Amino acid sequence: MLKDKDIREPLFEFLEESYGKTRIIEEKMMGRSRADVIMIITDALVGIEIKSDADTYTRLEGQIKDYDKYFDYNIVVVGSSHAMHVEEHVPDYWGIITVDEVDEKPDFYFLRKPEYNKKVKLNRKLELLWRPELGILLQRLGMPEYKTLSKPAVRKKIIESKKVDPADVSHEISELLFERDYEKLLAEIAAFRKAHSPKRRGPKKRTSIKRTRRAGK
């Protein structure tokens, strides 16, 4: 029986073969749910939920609601035990990838390709960007820098701007996530906090770096 840990790396290779240029971010909180995989492709974000043969559909209803807010496309990846019934549990615009064990290796197949998710919210997608990335986005959109504004305030300015095409914003979000350099961004964020926050006593909380995978450069 294939488990989640057996599926991930071969799945990423399958997605790279299917989509070309991709970047993978794993285990990211989206609303009340944790997205197993976020796949960045040109002009769009794809949410991927993995349900191995060892998993159940217990939390899927809530996960669908959260995924639909953040991602342009969504895909559920299911083991063979779920393949016959998964269509009953996900919306018809969600894609479905089945995984079987062939010669002791995972074998993937698109049972259904994903369609565009009309429920996606641009402000939710913008939440994936860090403050320095929002600054770069403002420059690329030809907007003021708003250096003193918080992340929520900057996101609001972008959403409310009548001069900004949402398609351009989506494209730039993907490009910024492709370009993301975690070490550089963490250093910039630390410098920003030092310049704009009062001095604090006691140990500093360390920011963790999520594991990412980039393919198809």
Side-chain angles (χ1 to χ4, degrees), residues 27-179:
E27 304 298 337
K28 176 72 175 178
M29 287 303 298
M30 299 284 108
R32 297 181 179 181
S33 302
R34 184 183 298 275
D36 284 334
V37 178
I38 301 173
M39 179 173 67
I40 296 96
I41 59 176
T42 303
D43 297 336
L45 304 180
V46 184
I48 300 173
E49 176 64 22
I50 300 172
K51 295 295 183 187
S52 70
D53 290 322
D55 295 322
T56 69
Y57 292 122
T58 304
R59 295 179 294 115
L60 186 58
E61 183 177 356
Q63 291 169 327
I64 288 172
K65 291 179 181 179
D66 287 328
Y67 274 61
D68 276 351
K69 295 175 184 176
Y70 284 87
F71 306 120
D72 303 284
Y73 300 90
N74 290 295
I75 297 171
V76 61
V77 180
V78 296
S80 56
S81 65
H82 296 303
M84 296 296 292
H85 308 287
V86 64
E87 291 178 274
E88 303 169 10
H89 296 274
V90 297
D92 56 11
Y93 51 88
W94 273 52
I96 300 172
I97 294 176
T98 60
V99 52
D100 294 301
E101 190 170 8
V102 178
D103 296 329
E104 299 183 351
K105 295 180 180 179
D107 182 64
F108 300 93
Y109 173 75
F110 258 111
L111 182 64
R112 187 170 74 195
K113 290 292 184 71
E115 297 178 4
Y116 180 71
N117 166 35
K118 296 179 181 179
K119 297 180 181 180
V120 65
K121 305 295 183 183
L122 186 57
N123 63 314
R124 294 294 190 180
K125 292 176 61 176
L126 285 167
E127 289 180 11
L128 292 172
L129 298 183
W130 294 4
R131 185 59 180 85
E133 292 169 328
L134 285 171
I136 296 172
L137 177 60
L138 290 170
Q139 293 177 10
R140 293 182 180 180
L141 296 174
M143 296 180 65
E145 295 184 10
Y146 301 120
K147 289 185 177 180
T148 61
L149 295 186
S150 64
K151 289 187 290 184
V154 171
R155 293 194 295 264
K156 185 177 181 181
K157 289 287 187 182
I158 294 171
I159 294 297
E160 293 180 348
S161 175
K162 296 181 179 179
K163 297 180 180 180
V164 171
D165 185 342
D168 291 337
V169 179
S170 289
H171 172 78
E172 293 299 342
I173 290 173
S174 288
E175 289 303 304
L176 287 165
L177 291 173
F178 274 129
E179 297 166 7

